Amino acid sequence: RPGPLHCRLLSTFPVSSMNIDRPPPMRYLHLHWNHLPLRLEVRSHSLPSSPVVLGGQPWESGSVLDASPAALRMGVQRGQPLGSAHALAPEATFLDAHPDRYREVLEAALEALLAVTPAVEGPVEPTDPAFGRVLLGIEGLERLWGDEAAIVRRALTAVGALLPGRQVVDYVSAL
């Protein structure tokens, strides 16, 4: 079940500078799941209270794919070598990453969102810093689904069983 919503309205231009002859701005819904790779991984693990680093074991040559907020506070960063992350957070729990699974889950979520709107966009590569961010075109959907709050509920219901955790929701206007 989708978590609580946090909504705010963003605009890319000041209202006073709008030209009456211009078409109305396009409306987008921006959904963001912070730490989506980590959230997808711990779905099957119980998280210890210590910091968590996702990407592999410290003695492996890989890099950090994601890290818990506790690990980030200790200086661990995405893309950092796992050995360096271990030097900063030796008490952290290091988890192996499964990027193909994360990609499949987000692709399934994007597919589910196509039932809400035909305009769906978001990177599906877990190494992309924007992984977990999805942009939906919602212009004109009010006639089909109701007001923006109803569209948000419908979108979050569509992906609620696929994407765990709390999401951030923004409305974006663009010309």
Side-chain angles (χ1 to χ4, degrees), residues 13 47-48 101 115 130 155 170:
F13 58 93
L47 261 182
R101 185 172 66 201
D170 293 325

Side-chain angles (χ1 to χ4, degrees), residues 1-5 33 152-161 163 165-167:
R1 186 159 170 102
L5 296 179
W33 283 263
V152 169
R153 282 191 302 277
R154 184 171 287 273
L156 294 178
T157 299
V159 298
L163 301 178
R166 199 167 140 178
Q167 65 285 327

Side-chain angles (χ1 to χ4, degrees), residues 110-172:
L110 294 175
E111 189 74 28
L113 288 168
L114 288 172
V116 178
T117 177
V120 178
E121 182 179 327
V124 295
E125 189 56 45
T127 57
D128 189 317
F131 184 78
R133 294 177 181 264
V134 178
L135 195 63
L136 308 174
I138 59 170
E139 187 68 30
L141 292 179
E142 294 87 5
R143 287 178 277 165
L144 194 60
W145 307 121
D147 63 6
E148 288 177 345
I151 296 169
V152 169
R153 282 191 302 277
R154 184 171 287 273
L156 294 178
T157 299
V159 298
L162 297 168
L163 301 178
R166 199 167 140 178
Q167 65 285 327
V168 177
V169 179
D170 293 325
Y171 301 103
V172 182

Side-chain angles (χ1 to χ4, degrees), residues 64-83:
V64 174
L65 179 62
D66 201 359
S68 68
L72 294 174
R73 284 190 298 273
M74 297 175 83
V76 175
Q77 298 175 19
R78 281 183 63 127
Q80 182 177 51
L82 291 166

Side-chain angles (χ1 to χ4, degrees), residues 46-105:
S46 60
L47 261 182
S49 58
S50 65
V52 178
V53 176
L54 181 64
Q57 299 306 310
W59 55 85
E60 297 175 345
S61 63
S63 60
V64 174
L65 179 62
D66 201 359
S68 68
L72 294 174
R73 284 190 298 273
M74 297 175 83
V76 175
Q77 298 175 19
R78 281 183 63 127
Q80 182 177 51
L82 291 166
S84 298
H86 185 259
L88 292 168
E91 67 274 13
T93 300
F94 283 76
L95 300 175
D96 292 331
H98 300 93
D100 291 338
R101 185 172 66 201
Y102 313 147
R103 185 180 308 106
E104 289 172 11
V105 170

